[in-house]
Every structure is written in structure tokens, then in C-alpha cells.
Amino acid sequence: MKLQCVSLWLLGTILILCSVDNHGLRRCLISTDMHHIEESFQEIKRAIQAKDTFPNVTILSTLETLQIIKPLDVCCVTKNLLEFYVDRVFKDHQEPNPKILRKVSSIANSFLYMQKTLRQCQEQRQCHCRQEATNATRVIHDNYDQLEVRAAAIKSLGELDVFLAWINKNHEVTSSA
């Protein structure tokens, strides 16, 4: 009888630990209006993608890397990709159209806010960066570096919907609206 109780207790503990491990990184909630970001992107998507001179090249969307990210690496990859967009893509993109520039700036500001949230999670040791996460983001940086800076920025902006869909799929997003 004691053996059965111990076995059930161990099984319960293992199930709880597995559940925590699988959903552990989702405790870093991204509190922002993702719908607003997606709308902003949809309003400029056609104009951005029309400037893409390399339609058969991709930076994010060919990567099975995003599709095979383990739950343990979601926070880190999200943090790294937000950093990639803020530090490289938005800075490298030169936009003459004021309407598009305002939308890109709005998205960039939302990314900065999300980045701050994930940085706090990392400081609280809730967002670990394993080698797999680092490798995944390195592939994206390498793809970006293979193109001329302006072309890479346009390409990455044009693929923003891939990243936004991935965020929605992998994070519990809470609306701040």
C-alpha cells in the first residue's frame, strides 16, 4: 500500500514538473496590444513587400528553426528576435514615406516595450538562453547578413507577419488596450 502511494506521489510530481517545464516560459507574459501591431503591419505590408528585390530569398519564413523551438527556448528566442528587429531591422530601414514610417515606428515602440518585459523576466531568471536558442537566432542573423543592409531590412520587415504569428502561437499575450 505504501509503495502504491509513493508511486502515485512520484507520478504526480513528475507530471507537475513536466507541465511546469512545458509551460514555464509562458509565465513571462507579453502585455501589449498585438492586434494593433498586426493591424499596423497589415496597413504597410503591401508597400514594404513591393520594395523587396529578392522575392525568392527569406530570412525568417524558410526557417524551420522557429517551428521547432522548444518551449524552454521560446522566451529567449522571442527576446533575441525582438532585439534583432529593434537593433538592426528598424535601424537599418530607411523609409521616405511618412505614413509607413509612422507605422514602422509604432511597431518598433511596441517591440521595445515587449523587449523590456522579457528583459525583466530574464533578470528574474525566468527566461533562460540555451545553446539551441542562440543557434536559432544566429541563423536568422546570418541570413540577414547575406543581403545588403537595406535589402535585408526590407526583407525582414516584409516577413514581420511570420514573427508576429509565432509570438501569438507561443506566448500568452495579454492586451493592454
Side-chain angles (χ1 to χ4, degrees):
M1 185 68 165
K2 284 186 179 183
L3 186 58
Q4 281 182 329
C5 288
V6 170
S7 297
L8 286 174
W9 180 81
L10 283 173
L11 179 62
T13 303
I14 290 170
L15 289 174
I16 289 170
L17 289 175
C18 287
S19 174
V20 168
D21 188 40
N22 284 337
H23 301 317
L25 292 176
R26 294 189 178 197
R27 63 185 161 218
C28 291
L29 299 178
I30 296 176
S31 178
T32 194
D33 188 355
M34 290 299 292
H35 183 69
H36 173 73
I37 296 171
E38 291 164 348
E39 278 183 352
S40 293
F41 175 68
Q42 288 305 319
E43 290 178 27
I44 63 171
K45 179 179 179 177
R46 184 171 291 144
I48 294 290
Q49 290 179 344
K51 297 177 187 177
D52 185 356
T53 56
F54 299 99
N56 296 328
V57 176
T58 57
I59 293 175
L60 292 178
S61 58
T62 61
L63 294 178
E64 295 169 356
T65 309
L66 288 180
Q67 305 308 321
I68 61 170
I69 298 298
K70 293 183 172 77
L72 192 58
D73 295 322
V74 166
C75 179
C76 181
V77 170
T78 305
K79 183 185 73 58
N80 289 346
L81 288 180
L82 288 169
E83 185 177 294
F84 165 73
Y85 270 93
V86 168
D87 293 345
R88 295 191 74 187
V89 177
F90 296 136
K91 286 184 180 176
D92 291 343
H93 181 67
Q94 297 176 358
E95 183 56 56
N97 183 324
K99 180 183 177 192
I100 293 174
L101 184 58
R102 277 191 301 276
K103 295 294 181 183
V104 170
S105 293
S106 174
I107 295 168
N109 286 333
S110 295
F111 277 26
L112 283 168
Y113 182 77
M114 289 189 285
Q115 199 177 20
K116 179 182 173 188
T117 301
L118 293 179
R119 199 173 299 126
Q120 289 170 343
C121 282
Q122 190 171 31
E123 288 169 4
Q124 297 168 357
R125 303 202 187 288
Q126 294 178 351
C127 184
H128 306 283
C129 287
R130 298 180 326 137
Q131 189 62 44
E132 291 85 352
T134 304
N135 291 345
T137 53
R138 185 177 305 123
V139 169
I140 293 167
H141 281 274
D142 289 347
N143 289 344
Y144 189 88
D145 291 337
Q146 289 178 10
L147 295 175
E148 182 268 326
V149 173
R150 284 181 152 176
I154 289 170
K155 175 61 72 181
S156 296
L157 277 176
E159 294 180 349
L160 193 58
D161 54 346
V162 174
F163 181 44
L164 296 175
W166 187 81
I167 288 174
N168 280 328
K169 177 182 172 193
N170 289 284
H171 286 275
E172 292 177 13
V173 180
T174 61
S175 178
S176 61

